[in-house]
Amino acid sequence: ANVPEEEMSEWLLPFFDSLDVAFTVAFTVELAMNMLAHWCYPFFSSGWNILDMLVVALAYIGLAFENLPGLKVIRILRAFRVLRLVNKLEALRLLLSALAASI
């Protein structure tokens, strides 16, 4: 269907904003549970956990400062959320580790 761009943005942008908040909250809860389960040294010794913290922090910066100059860079960096999922998929993590080791 051919929907004018203005009409689409009326409902699509708020929808994506809501999804952004929902995923940020979900990732925050997951990160908090991980921090409680692996307290201090075990948590901070994993590079994946550090990446998780960075991604969640960038998500909050992007949500808090929507009119911040350079926000597009922060929004692009938030795309690294996908890398958080790599931590959960053992086969994909193994593949990326092998790729990184080969470089």
Side-chain angles (χ1 to χ4, degrees), residues 57-76:
L58 287 173
Y60 279 107
I61 290 171
L63 289 174
F65 304 107
E66 292 186 11
N67 296 325
L68 184 70
L71 180 66
K72 291 196 184 263
V73 174
I74 291 174
R75 288 191 183 263
I76 290 170

Side-chain angles (χ1 to χ4, degrees), residues 5 10-11 23 39 41 49 52 61 71 90 94 97 100:
E5 188 175 324
E10 280 182 29
W11 65 272
F23 278 107
W39 194 243
Y41 181 76
N49 290 336
D52 288 352
I61 290 171
L71 180 66
E90 185 66 33
L94 181 62
S97 296

Side-chain angles (χ1 to χ4, degrees), residues 2-3 6 8 16 22 25 33 36 40 49 53 57 65 68 70 72-73 75 83 96-98 100:
N2 291 331
V3 179
E6 298 83 28
M8 191 177 353
F16 282 128
V25 168
M33 289 171 50
L36 288 173
C40 273
N49 290 336
M53 286 182 56
F65 304 107
L68 184 70
K72 291 196 184 263
V73 174
R75 288 191 183 263
L83 288 178
L96 285 179
S97 296

Side-chain angles (χ1 to χ4, degrees), residues 22-36:
F23 278 107
T24 299
V25 168
F27 284 144
T28 301
V29 169
E30 188 266 338
L31 181 64
M33 289 171 50
N34 193 3
M35 288 177 82
L36 288 173

